[in-house]
Amino acid sequence: MRTRSGWWVAGALAVLALSMVAGLLGGAADISPWQVVLQAADWLPYVSVDSGLAPVEQGLLFELRLPRVLVAAVVGGLLAMAGAGYQGVFRNPLADPYLLGAAAGAGLSATVVIVLLPASAAGVPVAAFVGAVGGVFLAYVLGNTAGRAGGTATLVLAGVAVTSFLTAIQTFIQQFKVEELQRIYSWILGDVGGGWDQFWLVLPYAAVSAVLLLAHGRVLDVLSVGDEEATSLGLRAARVRLAVLLAASLATAAAVAVSGLIGFVGIVIPHVARRLAGGSYRIVLPLSLIGGAAFLVLADLLARTVIAPAELPIGVVTMFVGAPFFVGVLRMTRRSAT
Amino acid sequence: MIEVSALSVRLGEREVLTGVDLSVRRGEWLAIIGPNGAGKSTLLKAVMGLVRHRGTVVVDGRAAATLRPRDRARLVAYAPQAPSLPPDMTVLDYALLGRTPYIPYLGRESRRDREVTASVLERLDLTGFAARRVGELSGGERQRVVLARALAQEAPALLLDEPTTALDLGHQQQVLELVDRLRVADGLTVVTTLHDLTLAGQYADRLLLLADGHAVATGPPAQVLTGKLVGEHFDARVEITPGPGGRPVVHLLRGAT
Ligand SMILES: Nc1ncnc2c1ncn2[C@@H]1O[C@H](COP(=O)(O)OP(=O)(O)OP(=O)(O)O)[C@@H](O)[C@H]1O
Ligand SMILES: [Mg+2]
């Protein structure tokens, strides 16, 4: 069992490495994949290799492509892993990282900043981060005051209420500022081209939430027998749920802050992981992290190249490509209902 | 080992248990019997601290309310009547869940945890199933897997809610004999609910008859399994004859309403 998990992780890492090389190549015809690999090695600390690339090409790779690939990888990994965490906490395969109002909260506060400070681009990520955290917090407080402390059903309902309420406000505001509609929409549809700044911005949150979530794999497996039985096994279910929700929401907020509301990754990738490698969160969480990263790097590659030199919004690509991909995986691994 | 006094439970608007007293000595087997809806499962859950209740529960000399869930789980293992089984989990991983109270919160299971679990699977005839998915088992196989999880907990007291309902004759006997052997060998304290009154009378040292949330009778099988008590509380017409070892055997009478 454990060695099999190891193979899955190794395989996923290989796929991720390949997609990152593809992402760096990005359709430019005059650079060979091998040169990209050499160049990537050269960027590593204490390693110096000659890739044979001209300084202009090196600059293009380093200043434009590399941060883009890295942001896509981090965002994809965070969203997929957060999705897996939410599914574990709610014991519901349809849960996604936006379930508790993270998306609506981020959408609202990003819209407010875009409308009030049309000139500033720097404020949007911070606002989105705060909004996402705020949305989840609101849903959590509401859910816990309305229902039995720690129960999941009221929590989901509170998430639905918070989402529709905040979305209503957001829609209302954007109708007043039609001239900003384009910017608001392109933010919502997602973008990972923010450069190194965005990468450094997201990295600390990504690291913290990834470590926290990965550490909770076993406990989430225990939680999968339900609150009552988990308690009889000596686990404090409500406390586990809170810890995982915190970590997953932090991951979601960080991802949303630098990339907008990219859909589909958070729900599909954990399912693919589960289909391929089995139901244990100990393997689903790391596979989601790696698989989500690879998926979003490839999605961004498509977004940049399909109608080059123009770009498709990445959120459109994830849904357009992701849906048939998902159906394909479901068919390939068909077995008794999960 | 387990002392319950004046236990009352309200679920929603209904008072499901009223002033129930119960006491089980170390190494003793207590069977809780009673008609559907009498409150048997609720009583076990209250002992596990899974439902809010009034009254006191003392486990191994310690007030259960003051025990951390982890410590309580090391003292009492519980197999529910309707366990929820994650369909994708393998039998081995499911049984390993029983080791939860011994594994550090963010840690992983030790070699000993694996050994204990493997030996429990072996004792329950489940070694061949270890790699099977729980969702692909028959009802009786599932029931044994749940029992394996509870036994892997290595707690001195075992609460089993209807452990034999889905089992064929041979496996009923096998499971109850195994529990009985553990009880004798390790001094395990056992509390089961059992619908099969004859089985309850065969294996338990004492019976507790619950009806409508009240403990209406308690004592050795021959005292509780009488035509009068069973007839009154189960609304059934039965004949009770002395069976092997002088323990009562309950026969349903045909043509009665
Ligand atoms: N969550 C609940 N809310 C309200 N009433 C409940 C709840 N759970 C159980 N009850 C009621 O409590 C009573 C006792 O239920 P319990 O499950 O303890 O019965 P039982 O003796 O185990 O019955 P069975 O033999 O059918 O397993 C029943 O009347 C049931 O309808
Ligand atoms: Mg019951």
Side-chain angles (χ1 to χ4, degrees), chain B residues 187-201:
Chain B
L188 224 58
T189 307
V190 181
V191 180
T192 56
T193 68
L194 279 174
H195 270 303
D196 187 325
L197 300 180
T198 304
L199 269 187

Side-chain angles (χ1 to χ4, degrees), chain B residues 11-12 14 16 35-42 81 195:
Chain B
L11 294 174
R14 301 195 46 221
V16 173
N36 290 139
K40 304 181 294 296
S41 300
T42 309
Q81 183 172 12
H195 270 303

Side-chain angles (χ1 to χ4, degrees), chain A residues 1-2 91 215-216 218-219 221-222 224-226 228-229 231-236 240 243 274 279 282 335-336 338, chain B residues 45 48 50 69-70 73 78 80 83-84 86 88-89 94 97 100-101 103-109 114 133 149 153:
Chain A
M1 268 328 285
R2 245 183 296 174
R91 299 210 295 138
H216 276 84
R218 187 189 65 84
V219 198
D221 282 347
V222 179
S224 67
V225 297
E228 215 168 61
E229 291 179 57
T231 310
S232 84
L233 290 168
L235 204 69
R236 293 180 203 264
V240 173
R274 205 170 280 134
R282 290 200 234 189
R335 59 179 185 210
S336 62
T338 24
Chain B
K45 283 183 195 172
M48 279 315 289
L50 303 177
R70 218 179 157 67
Y78 165 66
S84 61
D88 278 333
M89 202 177 270
Y94 183 78
L97 294 182
T100 305
I103 305 174
Y105 182 68
L106 295 180
R108 56 185 317 154
E109 65 274 341
R114 297 195 156 267
R133 292 168 61 226
R149 188 191 85 187
Q153 228 167 308

Side-chain angles (χ1 to χ4, degrees), chain A residues 52-186:
Chain A
L53 290 177
V56 185
E57 291 167 326
Q58 286 191 22
L60 167 90
L61 281 182
F62 191 75
E63 290 305 329
L64 293 177
R65 299 256 172 90
L66 184 59
R68 195 166 176 137
V69 164
L70 289 178
V71 169
V74 171
V75 166
L78 285 180
L79 286 177
M81 197 175 50
Y86 269 76
Q87 288 159 19
V89 160
F90 290 104
R91 299 210 295 138
N92 184 338
L94 294 179
D96 86 342
Y98 302 146
L99 184 74
L100 286 192
L108 173 59
S109 45
T111 304
V112 168
V113 168
I114 291 173
V115 166
L116 292 183
L117 308 164
S120 137
V124 176
V126 179
F129 184 85
V130 173
V133 172
V136 174
F137 181 74
L138 203 59
Y140 193 81
V141 169
L142 252 173
N144 273 338
T145 47
R148 204 162 39 84
T152 53
T154 42
L155 204 49
V156 175
L157 291 177
V160 171
V162 166
T163 297
S164 67
F165 185 73
L166 297 182
T167 309
I169 304 180
Q170 189 254 335
T171 314
F172 180 74
I173 295 177
Q174 83 187 12
Q175 286 316 99
F176 266 86
K177 280 281 187 176
V178 192
E179 60 275 21
E180 298 292 349
L181 217 51
Q182 160 86 39
R183 255 187 91 201
I184 294 172
Y185 263 112
S186 70

